[in-house]
Amino acid sequence: MLHEMGPYHPECPERLSAIGDRLIAAGLDPYLLHYIAPAVTREQVARVHSAAYIDEIENAVPESGLHYLDPDTALNPHSLVAAKHAAGAVTLAVDLVMAGECKTAFCAVRPPGHHAERRRAMGFCLYNNIAVGAAHALAHHGLARVAVIDFDVHHGNGTEDIFAGDARVLMASTFQHPLYPYSGDHPQGPNMVNVPLAEGSGSEEFRAAVTERWIPALDAHRPQLLFISAGFDAHREDPLAGLRLTEADYAWVTRELMGVARRHCGGRIVSALEGGYALSALGRSAAEHVREFLGA
Ligand SMILES: [Zn+2]
C-alpha cells in the first residue's frame, strides 16, 4: 500500500482495497485463509533475474520522491520492499499448495510482474512475481513441468523473456494486439502459446482462444502445478485497453483452468494479480476468480 508512483498513476494502492472490499461485500472473505507475504530471498529472485539487474534495482531506490526506471515505472522509498513481498507471496503460495495446506491460492499483490524481463523493469513491474514462483516450484520443489497462463490484456513479455525455450514451462496467453508492449505476435519459443486478440474482441473470441488453443496445449503438457498471471484489464470497463470481457468470462476461464488442474495436478493452482485498472471492475472480477477457487 506504500508503493505509489504518483497521484494519477493507474497502478495505485486503491487497487488492493478494491479487491479486499469486494471479497468482503460478496461474502467470500470469511471462507478465505489469509497469509502475510514474506520477503522473497535474493536466491529466489536470482533464478529469473540477472545479478546485475537485482543490484540495479537495489541501488535505484530513492530516499524520497520517485526514481523512474522507465516512463511509467517508478520506485518510491517503499517500492522495493513491496516488490520483495509481492514475489514472496507467490513463493509462499507455491509452498502452501505443494504442502497440501490449500489447493488454490490467489496472491493480491502489487507491483505486478509479468512485464519484468530477466534484465529489465518495465510496464509497472519490478520483479516478475509469477516467474519467481514458477522457478521456485521447479528448483525448490523439484517439479518437472509447470504451466503459466496469462490472461492480462497486455502481453506478458517478461515471462516470455524468462521462460522462452525452457521446455519445463508451458506459457499460454491471450492479449490485445497491437497494444503495449507491442510484442507477442511472434512467439519466442516452442513452449509459448500466444494468442493475440484484436481490439474490440470479447467473450466469444476469448473463449474460443482458451478452448481451441490453451486447453489442448495444457493437456499435452500435463503440468504438475498451474500458475495464473491474473490481470483483469481485459474487462470492458478498463480504461487502459479495448477488449470486452466481463466478470462472467473471468469466472468461466477460472473454471476451465481448474478443470485442467484437476486432470493433471490434483487441482493445484497459484494465481497472482497483474493488471486491472477500473477499480470496481477489478474488484468484481477478482472476486469471481476467487469465488470459483472456493467452489462457492
Ligand atoms: Zn495489463
Side-chain angles (χ1 to χ4, degrees):
M1 298 300 283
L2 297 174
H3 163 60
E4 288 190 79
M5 297 184 284
Y8 304 108
H9 202 294
E11 205 291 279
C12 59
E14 290 76 15
R15 298 179 62 231
L16 295 184
S17 313
I19 293 173
D21 290 352
R22 186 69 195 182
L23 289 171
I24 293 168
L28 300 171
D29 190 74
Y31 300 98
L32 301 174
L33 296 170
H34 291 267
Y35 293 86
I36 300 295
V40 74
T41 66
R42 186 178 173 107
E43 180 195 355
Q44 290 167 339
V45 176
R47 292 173 183 141
V48 303
H49 292 293
S50 69
Y53 174 71
I54 296 170
D55 291 340
E56 178 194 328
I57 298 285
E58 295 265 355
N59 295 328
V61 177
E63 285 187 21
S64 65
L66 294 173
H67 174 87
Y68 282 87
L69 298 167
D70 87 351
D72 48 30
T73 313
L75 298 172
N76 81 356
H78 306 286
S79 300
L80 184 62
V81 177
K84 286 182 176 177
H85 288 270
V90 185
T91 60
L92 172 64
V94 170
D95 292 341
L96 292 170
V97 167
M98 291 305 298
E101 193 162 329
C102 46
K103 243 181 204 171
T104 53
F106 176 65
C107 305
V109 294
R110 33 184 310 280
H114 75 151
H115 293 307
E117 299 182 345
R118 190 171 284 278
R119 296 176 183 80
R120 177 163 69 147
M122 61 183 273
F124 317 161
C125 301
L126 302 178
Y127 294 150
N128 193 316
N129 307 317
I130 208 80
V132 169
H136 184 64
L138 296 168
H140 183 73
H141 292 281
L143 298 189
R145 296 178 311 281
V146 300
V148 179
I149 308 302
D150 188 330
F151 55 63
D152 190 278
V153 79
H154 303 98
H155 173 235
N157 62 290
T159 314
E160 177 167 50
D161 174 61
I162 289 164
F163 289 128
D166 185 339
R168 300 171 301 171
V169 183
L170 177 78
M171 180 178 182
S173 66
T174 46
F175 48 90
Q176 183 180 330
H177 188 81
L179 182 71
Y180 181 89
Y182 304 99
S183 52
D185 51 335
H186 298 292
Q188 301 298 304
N191 59 323
M192 294 289 146
V193 180
N194 297 4
V195 188
L197 299 172
E199 180 175 8
S201 298
S203 181
E204 193 178 330
E205 293 86 352
F206 175 69
R207 293 187 188 207
V210 172
T211 304
E212 294 164 18
R213 302 289 310 281
W214 290 4
I215 303 290
L218 287 164
D219 282 334
H221 187 64
R222 295 181 296 117
Q224 295 163 297
L225 177 55
L226 205 59
F227 290 87
I228 303 178
S229 264
F232 298 101
D233 42 10
H235 195 284
R236 61 173 59 219
E237 291 169 28
D238 200 276
L240 265 56
L243 295 191
R244 303 179 55 79
L245 300 191
T246 67
E247 298 90 290
D249 294 308
Y250 291 115
W252 176 83
V253 71
T254 305
R255 287 195 298 276
E256 291 294 311
L257 295 174
M258 290 174 74
V260 171
R262 271 196 304 274
R263 290 198 287 281
H264 301 291
C265 53
R268 294 193 295 232
I269 300 180
V270 170
S271 174
L273 180 64
E274 299 284 0
Y277 305 99
L279 293 179
S280 172
L282 168 65
R284 281 149 37 215
S285 301
E288 290 310 303
H289 182 55
V290 171
R291 184 195 301 278
E292 295 300 329
F293 282 167
L294 288 169

Tab-separated table of all heavy atoms in Angstrom, residues 115-173:
chain	number	residue	atom	x	y	z
A	115	HIS	N	5.540	-7.960	-16.941
A	115	HIS	CA	6.361	-7.232	-17.930
A	115	HIS	C	7.840	-7.208	-17.555
A	115	HIS	O	8.671	-6.794	-18.369
A	115	HIS	CB	5.879	-5.783	-18.078
A	115	HIS	CG	4.522	-5.657	-18.687
A	115	HIS	ND1	4.189	-6.245	-19.889
A	115	HIS	CD2	3.395	-5.023	-18.259
A	115	HIS	CE1	2.914	-5.965	-20.184
A	115	HIS	NE2	2.414	-5.235	-19.206
A	116	ALA	N	8.176	-7.587	-16.324
A	116	ALA	CA	9.583	-7.522	-15.894
A	116	ALA	C	10.377	-8.639	-16.556
A	116	ALA	O	10.090	-9.826	-16.372
A	116	ALA	CB	9.678	-7.630	-14.376
A	117	GLU	N	11.353	-8.246	-17.355
A	117	GLU	CA	12.197	-9.207	-18.054
A	117	GLU	C	13.382	-9.597	-17.183
A	117	GLU	O	13.591	-9.032	-16.116
A	117	GLU	CB	12.686	-8.599	-19.384
A	117	GLU	CG	11.521	-8.253	-20.314
A	117	GLU	CD	11.967	-7.700	-21.654
A	117	GLU	OE1	13.157	-7.301	-21.789
A	117	GLU	OE2	11.116	-7.669	-22.570
A	118	ARG	N	14.164	-10.542	-17.667
A	118	ARG	CA	15.312	-11.014	-16.885
A	118	ARG	C	16.244	-9.860	-16.495
A	118	ARG	O	16.750	-9.821	-15.384
A	118	ARG	CB	16.086	-12.061	-17.702
A	118	ARG	CG	17.164	-12.804	-16.938
A	118	ARG	CD	17.714	-13.963	-17.751
A	118	ARG	NE	16.814	-15.108	-17.802
A	118	ARG	CZ	16.704	-16.033	-16.846
A	118	ARG	NH1	17.458	-15.954	-15.763
A	118	ARG	NH2	15.857	-17.029	-16.969
A	119	ARG	N	16.388	-8.902	-17.383
A	119	ARG	CA	17.355	-7.814	-17.146
A	119	ARG	C	16.730	-6.431	-17.190
A	119	ARG	O	17.432	-5.438	-17.327
A	119	ARG	CB	18.466	-7.874	-18.212
A	119	ARG	CG	19.299	-9.125	-18.143
A	119	ARG	CD	20.333	-9.212	-19.256
A	119	ARG	NE	21.042	-10.472	-19.168
A	119	ARG	CZ	20.569	-11.643	-19.627
A	119	ARG	NH1	19.401	-11.673	-20.254
A	119	ARG	NH2	21.252	-12.757	-19.485
A	120	ARG	N	15.389	-6.332	-17.072
A	120	ARG	CA	14.787	-5.013	-17.280
A	120	ARG	C	13.447	-4.879	-16.578
A	120	ARG	O	12.589	-5.752	-16.701
A	120	ARG	CB	14.603	-4.783	-18.791
A	120	ARG	CG	13.926	-3.473	-19.144
A	120	ARG	CD	14.136	-3.115	-20.594
A	120	ARG	NE	13.402	-4.023	-21.478
A	120	ARG	CZ	12.871	-3.646	-22.647
A	120	ARG	NH1	12.989	-2.406	-23.052
A	120	ARG	NH2	12.229	-4.519	-23.407
A	121	ALA	N	13.267	-3.758	-15.861
A	121	ALA	CA	11.956	-3.392	-15.310
A	121	ALA	C	11.196	-2.652	-16.394
A	121	ALA	O	11.777	-1.865	-17.143
A	121	ALA	CB	12.125	-2.479	-14.099
A	122	MET	N	9.890	-2.876	-16.464
A	122	MET	CA	9.066	-2.077	-17.372
A	122	MET	C	7.588	-2.294	-17.062
A	122	MET	O	7.216	-3.224	-16.351
A	122	MET	CB	9.367	-2.390	-18.849
A	122	MET	CG	9.109	-3.821	-19.276
A	122	MET	SD	9.568	-4.103	-21.021
A	122	MET	CE	8.037	-3.635	-21.848
A	123	GLY	N	6.748	-1.402	-17.596
A	123	GLY	CA	5.301	-1.595	-17.517
A	123	GLY	C	4.771	-1.815	-16.122
A	123	GLY	O	3.948	-2.706	-15.902
A	124	PHE	N	5.162	-0.991	-15.169
A	124	PHE	CA	4.710	-1.026	-13.762
A	124	PHE	C	5.324	-2.188	-12.975
A	124	PHE	O	4.973	-2.392	-11.807
A	124	PHE	CB	3.178	-1.119	-13.598
A	124	PHE	CG	2.327	-0.250	-14.481
A	124	PHE	CD1	0.976	-0.551	-14.673
A	124	PHE	CD2	2.835	0.876	-15.118
A	124	PHE	CE1	0.165	0.244	-15.479
A	124	PHE	CE2	2.032	1.678	-15.923
A	124	PHE	CZ	0.703	1.352	-16.104
A	125	CYS	N	6.194	-3.005	-13.603
A	125	CYS	CA	6.664	-4.253	-12.983
A	125	CYS	C	8.144	-4.171	-12.592
A	125	CYS	O	8.964	-3.662	-13.352
A	125	CYS	CB	6.476	-5.418	-13.945
A	125	CYS	SG	4.752	-5.665	-14.456
A	126	LEU	N	8.484	-4.710	-11.419
A	126	LEU	CA	9.877	-4.732	-10.944
A	126	LEU	C	10.424	-6.154	-10.972
A	126	LEU	O	11.301	-6.482	-11.756
A	126	LEU	CB	9.957	-4.137	-9.535
A	126	LEU	CG	9.438	-2.700	-9.416
A	126	LEU	CD1	9.521	-2.226	-7.970
A	126	LEU	CD2	10.222	-1.752	-10.323
A	127	TYR	N	9.912	-7.017	-10.101
A	127	TYR	CA	10.266	-8.440	-10.155
A	127	TYR	C	9.122	-9.180	-10.838
A	127	TYR	O	7.949	-8.863	-10.622
A	127	TYR	CB	10.429	-9.025	-8.753
A	127	TYR	CG	11.574	-8.494	-7.949
A	127	TYR	CD1	11.494	-8.434	-6.563
A	127	TYR	CD2	12.759	-8.075	-8.558
A	127	TYR	CE1	12.545	-7.960	-5.797
A	127	TYR	CE2	13.814	-7.600	-7.810
A	127	TYR	CZ	13.703	-7.548	-6.420
A	127	TYR	OH	14.743	-7.082	-5.673
A	128	ASN	N	9.468	-10.211	-11.605
A	128	ASN	CA	8.422	-10.999	-12.254
A	128	ASN	C	7.908	-12.035	-11.258
A	128	ASN	O	8.439	-13.139	-11.129
A	128	ASN	CB	8.963	-11.660	-13.523
A	128	ASN	CG	7.834	-12.208	-14.366
A	128	ASN	OD1	6.909	-12.838	-13.849
A	128	ASN	ND2	7.876	-11.954	-15.657
A	129	ASN	N	6.848	-11.651	-10.545
A	129	ASN	CA	6.360	-12.454	-9.420
A	129	ASN	C	6.000	-13.884	-9.826
A	129	ASN	O	6.368	-14.842	-9.145
A	129	ASN	CB	5.121	-11.781	-8.807
A	129	ASN	CG	5.377	-10.336	-8.439
A	129	ASN	OD1	6.423	-10.010	-7.884
A	129	ASN	ND2	4.430	-9.459	-8.736
A	130	ILE	N	5.256	-14.026	-10.917
A	130	ILE	CA	4.786	-15.364	-11.308
A	130	ILE	C	5.971	-16.208	-11.770
A	130	ILE	O	6.016	-17.418	-11.515
A	130	ILE	CB	3.665	-15.261	-12.385
A	130	ILE	CG1	2.726	-16.459	-12.290
A	130	ILE	CG2	4.208	-15.146	-13.787
A	130	ILE	CD1	1.685	-16.398	-11.224
A	131	ALA	N	6.958	-15.579	-12.406
A	131	ALA	CA	8.146	-16.320	-12.847
A	131	ALA	C	8.974	-16.769	-11.645
A	131	ALA	O	9.508	-17.882	-11.624
A	131	ALA	CB	8.990	-15.453	-13.789
A	132	VAL	N	9.068	-15.902	-10.633
A	132	VAL	CA	9.777	-16.282	-9.402
A	132	VAL	C	9.096	-17.507	-8.786
A	132	VAL	O	9.759	-18.461	-8.353
A	132	VAL	CB	9.804	-15.115	-8.393
A	132	VAL	CG1	10.289	-15.577	-7.021
A	132	VAL	CG2	10.709	-13.983	-8.910
A	133	GLY	N	7.760	-17.509	-8.789
A	133	GLY	CA	7.020	-18.643	-8.233
A	133	GLY	C	7.214	-19.913	-9.046
A	133	GLY	O	7.428	-21.000	-8.481
A	134	ALA	N	7.146	-19.783	-10.368
A	134	ALA	CA	7.312	-20.964	-11.226
A	134	ALA	C	8.720	-21.538	-11.081
A	134	ALA	O	8.909	-22.759	-10.990
A	134	ALA	CB	7.018	-20.585	-12.679
A	135	ALA	N	9.713	-20.668	-11.035
A	135	ALA	CA	11.098	-21.124	-10.870
A	135	ALA	C	11.285	-21.786	-9.509
A	135	ALA	O	12.052	-22.753	-9.369
A	135	ALA	CB	12.057	-19.944	-11.042
A	136	HIS	N	10.595	-21.284	-8.503
A	136	HIS	CA	10.657	-21.874	-7.159
A	136	HIS	C	10.065	-23.289	-7.169
A	136	HIS	O	10.620	-24.215	-6.556
A	136	HIS	CB	9.878	-20.977	-6.195
A	136	HIS	CG	9.928	-21.408	-4.763
A	136	HIS	ND1	11.097	-21.439	-4.023
A	136	HIS	CD2	8.943	-21.840	-3.930
A	136	HIS	CE1	10.820	-21.861	-2.790
A	136	HIS	NE2	9.523	-22.115	-2.714
A	137	ALA	N	8.970	-23.451	-7.894
A	137	ALA	CA	8.346	-24.777	-7.982
A	137	ALA	C	9.282	-25.774	-8.656
A	137	ALA	O	9.378	-26.936	-8.253
A	137	ALA	CB	7.026	-24.678	-8.750
A	138	LEU	N	9.987	-25.313	-9.682
A	138	LEU	CA	10.910	-26.191	-10.404
A	138	LEU	C	12.153	-26.494	-9.568
A	138	LEU	O	12.548	-27.649	-9.403
A	138	LEU	CB	11.330	-25.532	-11.727
A	138	LEU	CG	10.215	-25.302	-12.759
A	138	LEU	CD1	10.706	-24.380	-13.866
A	138	LEU	CD2	9.727	-26.628	-13.339
A	139	ALA	N	12.769	-25.448	-9.013
A	139	ALA	CA	14.072	-25.614	-8.344
A	139	ALA	C	13.926	-26.152	-6.927
A	139	ALA	O	14.680	-27.054	-6.520
A	139	ALA	CB	14.808	-24.265	-8.316
A	140	HIS	N	12.991	-25.632	-6.178
A	140	HIS	CA	12.885	-25.996	-4.759
A	140	HIS	C	12.028	-27.238	-4.550
A	140	HIS	O	12.352	-28.091	-3.722
A	140	HIS	CB	12.320	-24.819	-3.960
A	140	HIS	CG	12.233	-25.080	-2.488
A	140	HIS	ND1	13.344	-25.111	-1.666
A	140	HIS	CD2	11.165	-25.363	-1.690
A	140	HIS	CE1	12.969	-25.387	-0.416
A	140	HIS	NE2	11.655	-25.543	-0.413
A	141	HIS	N	10.934	-27.338	-5.316
A	141	HIS	CA	10.037	-28.480	-5.133
A	141	HIS	C	10.301	-29.597	-6.139
A	141	HIS	O	9.639	-30.632	-6.098
A	141	HIS	CB	8.574	-28.022	-5.201
A	141	HIS	CG	8.186	-27.154	-4.038
A	141	HIS	ND1	7.874	-27.661	-2.803
A	141	HIS	CD2	8.120	-25.804	-3.914
A	141	HIS	CE1	7.601	-26.660	-1.965
A	141	HIS	NE2	7.746	-25.531	-2.618
A	142	GLY	N	11.240	-29.369	-7.039
A	142	GLY	CA	11.663	-30.430	-7.944
A	142	GLY	C	10.646	-30.827	-8.990
A	142	GLY	O	10.701	-31.942	-9.520
A	143	LEU	N	9.724	-29.940	-9.319
A	143	LEU	CA	8.755	-30.271	-10.358
A	143	LEU	C	9.449	-30.291	-11.722
A	143	LEU	O	10.443	-29.603	-11.953
A	143	LEU	CB	7.593	-29.265	-10.369
A	143	LEU	CG	6.747	-29.200	-9.085
A	143	LEU	CD1	5.504	-28.342	-9.323
A	143	LEU	CD2	6.348	-30.587	-8.593
A	144	ALA	N	8.904	-31.099	-12.616
A	144	ALA	CA	9.480	-31.224	-13.956
A	144	ALA	C	8.711	-30.406	-14.990
A	144	ALA	O	9.263	-30.032	-16.019
A	144	ALA	CB	9.500	-32.689	-14.383
A	145	ARG	N	7.423	-30.145	-14.709
A	145	ARG	CA	6.593	-29.432	-15.680
A	145	ARG	C	5.620	-28.511	-14.952
A	145	ARG	O	4.874	-28.964	-14.067
A	145	ARG	CB	5.769	-30.409	-16.540
A	145	ARG	CG	6.573	-31.341	-17.426
A	145	ARG	CD	5.642	-32.295	-18.201
A	145	ARG	NE	4.663	-32.921	-17.321
A	145	ARG	CZ	4.915	-33.966	-16.519
A	145	ARG	NH1	6.123	-34.500	-16.492
A	145	ARG	NH2	3.968	-34.467	-15.744
A	146	VAL	N	5.615	-27.243	-15.327
A	146	VAL	CA	4.605	-26.305	-14.828
A	146	VAL	C	4.045	-25.542	-16.025
A	146	VAL	O	4.609	-25.582	-17.118
A	146	VAL	CB	5.176	-25.301	-13.784
A	146	VAL	CG1	5.748	-26.030	-12.581
A	146	VAL	CG2	6.205	-24.388	-14.418
A	147	ALA	N	2.928	-24.863	-15.807
A	147	ALA	CA	2.356	-24.016	-16.855
A	147	ALA	C	2.040	-22.650	-16.277
A	147	ALA	O	1.653	-22.536	-15.103
A	147	ALA	CB	1.086	-24.649	-17.428
A	148	VAL	N	2.235	-21.629	-17.088
A	148	VAL	CA	1.870	-20.261	-16.720
A	148	VAL	C	0.813	-19.779	-17.711
A	148	VAL	O	1.061	-19.724	-18.915
A	148	VAL	CB	3.084	-19.301	-16.760
A	148	VAL	CG1	2.642	-17.880	-16.404
A	148	VAL	CG2	4.189	-19.770	-15.830
A	149	ILE	N	-0.365	-19.465	-17.192
A	149	ILE	CA	-1.449	-18.908	-18.002
A	149	ILE	C	-1.477	-17.410	-17.743
A	149	ILE	O	-1.392	-16.982	-16.592
A	149	ILE	CB	-2.815	-19.472	-17.546
A	149	ILE	CG1	-2.787	-20.986	-17.487
A	149	ILE	CG2	-3.930	-18.942	-18.429
A	149	ILE	CD1	-2.446	-21.621	-18.776
A	150	ASP	N	-1.615	-16.624	-18.789
A	150	ASP	CA	-1.613	-15.159	-18.624
A	150	ASP	C	-2.795	-14.591	-19.394
A	150	ASP	O	-2.780	-14.575	-20.622
A	150	ASP	CB	-0.287	-14.594	-19.151
A	150	ASP	CG	-0.102	-13.111	-18.846
A	150	ASP	OD1	-1.120	-12.386	-18.765
A	150	ASP	OD2	1.057	-12.677	-18.708
A	151	PHE	N	-3.848	-14.153	-18.654
A	151	PHE	CA	-4.995	-13.554	-19.355
A	151	PHE	C	-5.074	-12.041	-19.164
A	151	PHE	O	-6.104	-11.420	-19.443
A	151	PHE	CB	-6.319	-14.264	-19.021
A	151	PHE	CG	-6.707	-14.392	-17.563
A	151	PHE	CD1	-6.949	-13.277	-16.781
A	151	PHE	CD2	-6.868	-15.650	-16.988
A	151	PHE	CE1	-7.347	-13.393	-15.457
A	151	PHE	CE2	-7.263	-15.792	-15.651
A	151	PHE	CZ	-7.497	-14.646	-14.885
A	152	ASP	N	-3.997	-11.431	-18.726
A	152	ASP	CA	-3.910	-9.966	-18.701
A	152	ASP	C	-4.080	-9.449	-20.138
A	152	ASP	O	-3.727	-10.139	-21.095
A	152	ASP	CB	-2.540	-9.550	-18.150
A	152	ASP	CG	-2.435	-8.071	-17.862
A	152	ASP	OD1	-2.182	-7.288	-18.811
A	152	ASP	OD2	-2.588	-7.686	-16.697
A	153	VAL	N	-4.603	-8.247	-20.284
A	153	VAL	CA	-4.850	-7.725	-21.632
A	153	VAL	C	-3.542	-7.372	-22.354
A	153	VAL	O	-3.516	-7.248	-23.575
A	153	VAL	CB	-5.795	-6.496	-21.593
A	153	VAL	CG1	-5.059	-5.220	-21.172
A	153	VAL	CG2	-6.492	-6.290	-22.923
A	154	HIS	N	-2.472	-7.193	-21.585
A	154	HIS	CA	-1.165	-6.891	-22.179
A	154	HIS	C	-0.329	-8.172	-22.288
A	154	HIS	O	-0.406	-9.035	-21.405
A	154	HIS	CB	-0.419	-5.863	-21.317
A	154	HIS	CG	-1.186	-4.588	-21.112
A	154	HIS	ND1	-1.933	-4.349	-19.979
A	154	HIS	CD2	-1.336	-3.513	-21.920
A	154	HIS	CE1	-2.507	-3.141	-20.088
A	154	HIS	NE2	-2.171	-2.623	-21.251
A	155	HIS	N	0.474	-8.267	-23.319
A	155	HIS	CA	1.320	-9.448	-23.486
A	155	HIS	C	2.337	-9.539	-22.338
A	155	HIS	O	2.989	-8.548	-21.996
A	155	HIS	CB	2.062	-9.368	-24.827
A	155	HIS	CG	3.080	-10.452	-25.002
A	155	HIS	ND1	4.400	-10.200	-25.284
A	155	HIS	CD2	2.954	-11.794	-24.875
A	155	HIS	CE1	5.052	-11.346	-25.365
A	155	HIS	NE2	4.202	-12.337	-25.121
A	156	GLY	N	2.481	-10.728	-21.795
A	156	GLY	CA	3.428	-10.957	-20.693
A	156	GLY	C	4.840	-11.156	-21.218
A	156	GLY	O	5.431	-12.231	-21.120
A	157	ASN	N	5.385	-10.072	-21.754
A	157	ASN	CA	6.704	-10.150	-22.402
A	157	ASN	C	7.804	-10.583	-21.451
A	157	ASN	O	8.760	-11.254	-21.833
A	157	ASN	CB	7.055	-8.786	-22.999
A	157	ASN	CG	7.144	-7.717	-21.923
A	157	ASN	OD1	6.110	-7.342	-21.350
A	157	ASN	ND2	8.351	-7.256	-21.607
A	158	GLY	N	7.676	-10.191	-20.186
A	158	GLY	CA	8.721	-10.540	-19.225
A	158	GLY	C	8.753	-12.033	-18.960
A	158	GLY	O	9.826	-12.663	-18.968
A	159	THR	N	7.598	-12.615	-18.768
A	159	THR	CA	7.517	-14.053	-18.509
A	159	THR	C	7.996	-14.830	-19.732
A	159	THR	O	8.698	-15.834	-19.609
A	159	THR	CB	6.066	-14.440	-18.149
A	159	THR	OG1	5.565	-13.486	-17.201
A	159	THR	CG2	6.013	-15.826	-17.539
A	160	GLU	N	7.629	-14.331	-20.918
A	160	GLU	CA	8.112	-14.983	-22.141
A	160	GLU	C	9.632	-14.863	-22.244
A	160	GLU	O	10.319	-15.844	-22.559
A	160	GLU	CB	7.453	-14.381	-23.388
A	160	GLU	CG	7.988	-14.996	-24.671
A	160	GLU	CD	7.151	-14.669	-25.901
A	160	GLU	OE1	6.842	-13.492	-26.115
A	160	GLU	OE2	6.819	-15.608	-26.641
A	161	ASP	N	10.175	-13.689	-21.940
A	161	ASP	CA	11.627	-13.484	-21.997
A	161	ASP	C	12.344	-14.472	-21.076
A	161	ASP	O	13.386	-15.033	-21.426
A	161	ASP	CB	11.943	-12.032	-21.566
A	161	ASP	CG	13.438	-11.761	-21.463
A	161	ASP	OD1	14.128	-11.891	-22.490
A	161	ASP	OD2	13.907	-11.441	-20.357
A	162	ILE	N	11.778	-14.698	-19.905
A	162	ILE	CA	12.432	-15.547	-18.904
A	162	ILE	C	12.329	-17.034	-19.256
A	162	ILE	O	13.297	-17.787	-19.083
A	162	ILE	CB	11.826	-15.256	-17.507
A	162	ILE	CG1	12.283	-13.867	-17.039
A	162	ILE	CG2	12.211	-16.339	-16.492
A	162	ILE	CD1	11.474	-13.302	-15.875
A	163	PHE	N	11.195	-17.460	-19.796
A	163	PHE	CA	10.968	-18.902	-19.960
A	163	PHE	C	10.989	-19.397	-21.411
A	163	PHE	O	10.876	-20.609	-21.634
A	163	PHE	CB	9.642	-19.310	-19.316
A	163	PHE	CG	9.665	-19.259	-17.807
A	163	PHE	CD1	8.693	-18.555	-17.104
A	163	PHE	CD2	10.655	-19.918	-17.086
A	163	PHE	CE1	8.695	-18.509	-15.717
A	163	PHE	CE2	10.684	-19.879	-15.694
A	163	PHE	CZ	9.702	-19.174	-15.009
A	164	ALA	N	11.101	-18.509	-22.397
A	164	ALA	CA	11.106	-18.965	-23.794
A	164	ALA	C	12.221	-19.986	-23.992
A	164	ALA	O	13.368	-19.749	-23.629
A	164	ALA	CB	11.288	-17.788	-24.737
A	165	GLY	N	11.860	-21.139	-24.545
A	165	GLY	CA	12.839	-22.182	-24.810
A	165	GLY	C	13.039	-23.150	-23.655
A	165	GLY	O	13.759	-24.143	-23.800
A	166	ASP	N	12.422	-22.888	-22.511
A	166	ASP	CA	12.518	-23.792	-21.356
A	166	ASP	C	11.347	-24.777	-21.437
A	166	ASP	O	10.208	-24.435	-21.126
A	166	ASP	CB	12.453	-22.987	-20.052
A	166	ASP	CG	12.664	-23.855	-18.815
A	166	ASP	OD1	12.460	-25.090	-18.900
A	166	ASP	OD2	13.034	-23.302	-17.762
A	167	ALA	N	11.637	-25.996	-21.853
A	167	ALA	CA	10.577	-26.972	-22.139
A	167	ALA	C	9.808	-27.385	-20.887
A	167	ALA	O	8.731	-27.974	-20.996
A	167	ALA	CB	11.180	-28.202	-22.816
A	168	ARG	N	10.335	-27.068	-19.710
A	168	ARG	CA	9.620	-27.419	-18.477
A	168	ARG	C	8.414	-26.514	-18.255
A	168	ARG	O	7.508	-26.836	-17.493
A	168	ARG	CB	10.560	-27.290	-17.265
A	168	ARG	CG	11.785	-28.188	-17.335
A	168	ARG	CD	12.757	-27.847	-16.228
A	168	ARG	NE	13.200	-26.444	-16.292
A	168	ARG	CZ	13.911	-25.824	-15.346
A	168	ARG	NH1	14.238	-26.478	-14.240
A	168	ARG	NH2	14.284	-24.573	-15.512
A	169	VAL	N	8.434	-25.339	-18.888
A	169	VAL	CA	7.408	-24.322	-18.644
A	169	VAL	C	6.595	-24.092	-19.914
A	169	VAL	O	7.131	-23.641	-20.926
A	169	VAL	CB	8.045	-22.987	-18.200
A	169	VAL	CG1	6.957	-21.954	-17.883
A	169	VAL	CG2	8.961	-23.204	-16.998
A	170	LEU	N	5.310	-24.404	-19.874
A	170	LEU	CA	4.421	-24.022	-20.966
A	170	LEU	C	3.777	-22.699	-20.591
A	170	LEU	O	3.234	-22.563	-19.494
A	170	LEU	CB	3.325	-25.069	-21.182
A	170	LEU	CG	2.316	-24.679	-22.275
A	170	LEU	CD1	2.913	-24.933	-23.656
A	170	LEU	CD2	1.000	-25.422	-22.114
A	171	MET	N	3.866	-21.705	-21.484
A	171	MET	CA	3.176	-20.444	-21.235
A	171	MET	C	2.075	-20.281	-22.279
A	171	MET	O	2.323	-20.398	-23.482
A	171	MET	CB	4.131	-19.255	-21.306
A	171	MET	CG	3.445	-17.919	-21.046
A	171	MET	SD	4.586	-16.541	-21.074
A	171	MET	CE	3.456	-15.185	-20.691
A	172	ALA	N	0.855	-20.043	-21.809
A	172	ALA	CA	-0.271	-19.812	-22.706
A	172	ALA	C	-0.885	-18.471	-22.352
A	172	ALA	O	-1.132	-18.188	-21.178
A	172	ALA	CB	-1.314	-20.920	-22.567
A	173	SER	N	-1.097	-17.627	-23.366
A	173	SER	CA	-1.611	-16.294	-23.067
A	173	SER	C	-2.555	-15.794	-24.145
A	173	SER	O	-2.551	-16.271	-25.272
A	173	SER	CB	-0.445	-15.304	-22.894
A	173	SER	OG	0.247	-15.129	-24.119
